[in-house]
């Protein structure tokens, strides 16, 4: 346990090494919120609703996605491809710990860093813009939402390991990573709630793991969806796929560059 | 003499771009295709979002859906032209960290030229055509005539916007030299730039003023669109020419100051 705490602490120290980098990253997170905020304010600020969303509902969704992005999608595992390509993976592989736990602990440190700053930034945004938001008080929904977020964290972790593992086979990992990022921006519901799309599209989206990262946990928080089963299935399925790909990839690893 | 220097820069740029293209074709064909697909997918989702919102809202800060589509199309076109030439910024930090920047300083041509323009992405060139096609389609669809004077004004705006974007890139490179931080700064810049993909009036009076005069991203889409809609006096562009010159001079000053603090610690 002590060694994992050390990994956690070292990862946090790494984040704080380049302070300007860290500040810029945090400022970016505020912009992620501001652009959609202004769009929705222009559309719904005067009252009314579209697709059943009032201004308060869409602001709750927007606040929710901003927090969940930090919590679910904050990750250090995105470095995995680079580690494989440069041979840097050799060092953690030789150390006496479980490699998945190593990556997961690093992710947790990144999430803690993001979340701690989020608790400073969001009240700031709130006091400047006064967006109407809905706070869930039903303990059952809150419990379900927390379980859903936990599943989302695992799903995102496995997706990252799978995409990072592509580096075992190809050096060109930036393009698949860019494509994944672009798809996730849309399919997670980060751009707008997926139930604004035609029903057929929603059904197709829900067959992929992406909506379970942001959209579904938020719907659960809002008490509009309490089915956690698809998320559990995705966690188990992606966990198995990750292990298979990792084993196959590791057998090809040549520690090139070391 | 100046023409000769310009020809030298052009020759070197063409050589570097050609090498970049050969390298991509030889090593990363699949990756390039995925990258292009990703960019088109992102563009498609941006239009989808606009369609989803405006399908119900009909008007957004006074603009109709075809007008908002033209603004989005113009933004992608102008922004892509600038990005196409200045891809080098994404690799700049690594070059400072690993000492490659020292070689730029030793070259007879400007180190700024190498830092900014040495990694032009030829694959991005391919995207210019669909983006341009989209602008033409959206322009016609908006119901405003595609006349010579409007096209000329838009081209002038593109040139001014390019100078302004270049100035900001130079400032970001300077930050990179001083603080070894480029990646998040350039991404923050892109986030700011992205604000101009929709009519800037959406950000209120203060926001619009910031995006017009301080970070003049309004030039990327809203101002050229207003010129097309006949809502903007073309003489105001002279003010932006002055602003672009001012920004360029300021950025070059910052760059020269940043170079003084470069310690070549990595080499």
């Amino acid at each position: 346990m002590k060694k994992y705490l050390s990994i956690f602490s070292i990862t946090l120290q790494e984040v704080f090494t380049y302070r300007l980098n860290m500040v810029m990253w945090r400022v970016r997170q505020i912009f992620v919120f501001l652009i959609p905020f202004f769009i929705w304010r222009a559309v719904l600020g005067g009252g009314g609703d579209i697709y059943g969303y009032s201004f308060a509902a869409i602001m709750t969704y927007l606040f929710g996605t901003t927090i969940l992005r930090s919590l679910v999608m904050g990750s250090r595992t995105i470095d995995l491809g680079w580690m494989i390509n440069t041979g840097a993976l050799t060092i953690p592989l030789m150390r006496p710990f479980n490699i998945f736990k190593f990556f997961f602990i690093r992710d947790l440190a990144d999430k803690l860093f993001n979340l701690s700053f989020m608790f400073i930034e969001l009240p700031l945004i709130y006091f400047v813009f006064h967006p109407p938001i809905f706070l869930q008080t039903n303990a059952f929904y809150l419990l379900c939402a927390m379980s859903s977020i936990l599943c989302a964290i695992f799903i995102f972790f496995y997706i990252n390991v799978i995409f990072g593992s592509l580096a075992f086979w190809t050096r060109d990992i930036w393009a698949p990573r860019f494509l994944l990022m672009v798809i996730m921006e849309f399919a997670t519901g980060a751009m707008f709630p997926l139930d604004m799309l035609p029903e057929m599209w929603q059904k197709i989206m829900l067959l992929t793991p992406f909506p379970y990262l942001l959209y579904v946990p938020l719907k659960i928080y809002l008490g509009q969806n309490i089915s956690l089963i698809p998320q559990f299935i995705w966690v188990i399925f992606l966990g198995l796929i990750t292990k298979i790909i990792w084993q196959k990839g590791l057998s090809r690893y040549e520690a090139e560059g070391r | 003499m100046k023409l000769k220097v310009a020809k030298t820069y052009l020759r070197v740029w063409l050589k570097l771009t050609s090498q970049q293209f050969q390298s991509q074709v030889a090593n990363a064909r699949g990756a390039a295709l995925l990258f292009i697909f990703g960019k088109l997918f992102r563009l498609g989702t941006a239009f989808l979002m606009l369609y989803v919102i405006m399908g119900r809202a009909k008007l957004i800060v006074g603009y109709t859906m075809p007008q908002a589509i033209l603004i989005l199309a113009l933004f992608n076109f102008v922004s892509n032209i600038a990005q196409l030439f200045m891809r080098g910024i994404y690799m700049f930090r690594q070059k400072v960290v690993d000492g490659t920047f020292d070689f730029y300083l030793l070259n007879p041509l400007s180190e700024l030229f190498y830092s900014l323009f040495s990694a032009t992405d030829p694959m991005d060139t391919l995207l210019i055509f669909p983006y341009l096609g989209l602008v033409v389609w959206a322009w016609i669809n908006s119901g405003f005539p595609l006349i010579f004077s409007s096209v000329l004004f838009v081209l002038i705006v593109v040139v001014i916007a390019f100078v302004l974007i270049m100035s900001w890139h130079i400032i970001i490179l300077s930050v990179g030299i001083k603080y070894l931080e480029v990646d998040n700064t350039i991404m923050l810049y892109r986030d700011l730039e992205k604000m101009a993909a929709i009519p800037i009036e959406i950000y209120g009076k203060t926001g619009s003023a910031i995006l017009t005069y301080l970070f003049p991203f309004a030039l990327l889409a809203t101002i050229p669109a207003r010129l097309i809609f006949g809502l903007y006096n073309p003489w105001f562009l002279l003010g932006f020419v002055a602003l672009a010159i001012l920004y360029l001079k300021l950025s070059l000053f910052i760059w020269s100051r940043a170079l003084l603090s470069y310690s070549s610690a990595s080499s």
Side-chain angles (χ1 to χ4, degrees), chain B residues 130-141:
Chain B
Y131 285 163
L132 180 61
L134 207 58
V135 169
V136 174
W137 170 80
W139 192 328
I140 295 167
N141 203 38

Side-chain angles (χ1 to χ4, degrees), chain A residues 98-151:
Chain A
N98 180 304
I99 192 78
F100 285 120
K101 280 186 188 165
F102 166 73
F103 286 129
F104 195 70
I105 294 290
R106 278 167 59 85
D107 269 14
L108 287 183
D110 200 75
K111 287 174 203 306
L112 178 74
F113 159 76
N114 281 312
L115 203 65
S116 51
F117 275 87
M118 194 50 67
F119 280 117
I120 303 166
E121 294 153 8
L122 280 184
L124 200 71
I125 293 173
Y126 185 81
F127 286 116
V128 173
F129 296 104
H130 299 289
I133 49 169
F134 163 75
L135 289 174
Q136 181 60 267
T137 49
N138 185 311
F140 175 70
Y141 289 143
L142 284 173
L143 195 69
C144 288
M146 278 194 271
S147 310
S148 177
I149 292 166
L150 195 64
C151 288

Side-chain angles (χ1 to χ4, degrees), chain B residues 6-265:
Chain B
K7 272 186 182 172
T8 309
Y9 276 101
L10 182 67
R11 205 171 55 240
V12 173
W13 180 77
L14 284 170
K15 188 78 186 164
L16 289 168
T17 307
S18 146
Q19 284 171 351
Q20 185 87 358
F21 185 66
Q22 285 169 30
S23 161
Q24 275 196 356
V25 169
N27 305 318
R29 266 167 296 194
L33 283 175
L34 280 180
F35 182 69
I36 289 173
F37 177 74
K39 279 205 144 191
L40 291 175
F41 185 88
R42 189 170 59 183
L43 180 67
T45 54
F47 276 104
L48 181 67
M49 183 176 177
L50 201 61
Y51 178 78
V52 163
I53 294 173
M54 297 203 67
R56 295 286 173 95
K58 304 297 175 203
L59 274 180
I60 190 161
V61 282
Y63 291 91
T64 61
M65 183 164 4
Q67 287 176 325
I69 286 176
L70 177 60
I71 289 173
L72 184 57
L74 275 166
F75 170 80
N76 279 286
F77 177 65
V78 181
S79 163
N80 198 66
I81 287 178
Q83 280 192 49
L84 160 82
F85 291 102
M86 293 180 242
R87 284 260 170 231
I89 199 160
Y90 291 101
M91 288 148 243
F92 186 69
R93 181 185 180 273
Q94 189 54 36
K95 283 173 178 159
V96 175
V97 170
D98 66 20
T100 309
F101 186 64
D102 290 7
F103 294 109
Y104 289 177
L105 290 167
L106 291 171
N107 267 318
L109 298 188
S110 159
E111 66 288 334
L112 184 57
F113 164 78
Y114 279 104
S115 307
L116 213 48
F117 299 114
S118 66
T120 302
D121 189 349
M123 291 301 166
D124 257 2
T125 323
L126 298 174
L127 284 169
I128 289 289
F129 301 105
Y131 285 163
L132 180 61
L134 207 58
V135 169
V136 174
W137 170 80
W139 192 328
I140 295 167
N141 203 38
S142 69
F144 291 90
L146 194 62
I147 52 174
F148 177 74
S149 59
S150 298
V151 174
L152 185 69
F153 288 140
V154 170
L155 285 175
I156 292 169
V157 171
V158 170
V159 174
I160 302 169
F162 186 85
V163 175
L164 282 163
I165 290 171
M166 190 170 70
S167 308
W168 273 105
H169 277 67
I170 294 170
I171 293 170
I172 295 166
L173 288 178
S174 311
V175 172
I177 287 187
K178 221 163 163 51
Y179 302 103
L180 289 181
E181 155 53 31
V182 175
D183 302 356
N184 274 317
T185 318
I186 187 67
M187 293 317 287
L188 176 62
Y189 163 85
R190 294 256 174 271
D191 289 337
L192 253 172
E193 191 187 76
K194 248 187 251 171
M195 293 180 88
I198 46 176
I200 58 155
E201 291 87 345
I202 222 166
Y203 305 107
K205 279 186 180 166
T206 315
S208 297
I210 290 171
L211 287 172
T212 307
Y213 304 109
L214 187 61
F215 303 101
F217 296 123
L219 277 172
L220 268 68
T222 303
I223 290 177
R226 279 197 217 151
L227 280 164
I228 293 168
F229 306 149
L231 299 171
Y232 200 79
N233 186 344
W235 287 106
F236 288 165
L237 291 181
L238 285 174
F240 284 106
V241 172
L243 196 66
I245 293 168
L246 184 76
Y247 265 76
L248 186 61
K249 280 192 178 290
L250 182 72
S251 65
L252 289 172
F253 172 74
I254 294 172
W255 172 256
S256 60
R257 298 293 299 173
L259 278 183
L260 291 177
S261 66
Y262 180 64
S263 59
S264 186

Side-chain angles (χ1 to χ4, degrees), chain A:
Chain A
M1 188 61 192
K2 202 178 164 190
K3 56 192 173 191
Y4 292 111
L5 279 174
S6 297
I7 294 168
F8 189 86
S9 151
I10 290 166
T11 308
L12 278 179
Q13 285 171 37
E14 276 175 19
V15 176
F16 284 95
T17 307
Y18 295 102
R19 288 186 191 86
L20 184 66
N21 191 37
M22 183 191 81
V23 171
M24 292 296 180
W25 168 250
R26 291 319 313 166
V27 177
R28 284 194 64 206
Q29 300 315 300
I30 296 176
F31 275 92
V32 166
F33 175 85
L34 286 185
I35 300 174
F37 167 76
F38 280 110
I39 295 176
W40 289 115
R41 194 181 68 168
V43 175
L44 289 168
D49 66 274
I50 60 171
Y51 302 96
Y53 281 89
S54 62
F55 189 44
I58 204 75
M59 279 303 107
T60 306
Y61 186 86
L62 193 54
F63 250 79
T65 49
T66 309
I67 296 169
L68 280 190
R69 261 177 197 263
S70 292
L71 193 57
V72 175
M73 296 167 90
S75 168
R76 305 295 288 177
T77 314
I78 50 172
D79 295 339
L80 176 60
W82 169 84
M83 288 173 85
I84 295 168
N85 276 338
T86 57
L89 180 68
T90 311
I91 298 165
L93 278 178
M94 288 194 304
R95 287 187 176 152
F97 46 61
N98 180 304
I99 192 78
F100 285 120
K101 280 186 188 165
F102 166 73
F103 286 129
F104 195 70
I105 294 290
R106 278 167 59 85
D107 269 14
L108 287 183
D110 200 75
K111 287 174 203 306
L112 178 74
F113 159 76
N114 281 312
L115 203 65
S116 51
F117 275 87
M118 194 50 67
F119 280 117
I120 303 166
E121 294 153 8
L122 280 184
L124 200 71
I125 293 173
Y126 185 81
F127 286 116
V128 173
F129 296 104
H130 299 289
I133 49 169
F134 163 75
L135 289 174
Q136 181 60 267
T137 49
N138 185 311
F140 175 70
Y141 289 143
L142 284 173
L143 195 69
C144 288
M146 278 194 271
S147 310
S148 177
I149 292 166
L150 195 64
C151 288
I153 288 171
F154 278 108
I155 291 173
F156 188 69
F157 174 72
Y158 289 136
I159 289 174
N160 260 325
V161 176
I162 290 169
F163 268 78
S165 301
L166 289 179
F168 285 123
W169 287 273
T170 173
R171 294 193 71 81
D172 299 313
I173 44 159
W174 58 269
R177 168 76 52 195
F178 170 72
L179 187 61
L180 174 73
M181 202 178 71
V182 167
I183 291 173
M184 281 205 299
E185 185 66 24
F186 169 67
T188 54
M191 284 176 88
F192 55 86
L194 295 176
D195 50 4
M196 288 187 177
L197 291 170
E199 211 175 320
M200 182 71 176
W201 286 45
Q202 288 177 46
K203 281 182 181 164
I204 294 170
M205 290 286 171
L206 287 168
L207 292 174
T208 71
F210 306 118
Y212 301 99
L213 296 175
L214 299 180
Y215 173 74
V216 171
L218 268 170
K219 281 283 167 188
I220 291 173
Y221 172 80
L222 293 169
Q224 294 167 6
N225 176 356
I226 48 160
S227 175
L228 289 165
I229 295 167
Q231 269 187 307
F232 285 134
I233 294 171
W234 272 114
V235 170
I236 293 164
F237 178 70
L238 286 171
L240 288 172
I241 295 281
T242 304
K243 279 190 179 155
I244 293 167
I245 290 177
W246 183 260
Q247 288 306 328
K248 282 191 183 295
L250 213 53
S251 63
R252 292 175 58 95
Y253 182 57
E254 291 170 342
E256 191 184 335
R258 287 277 156 180

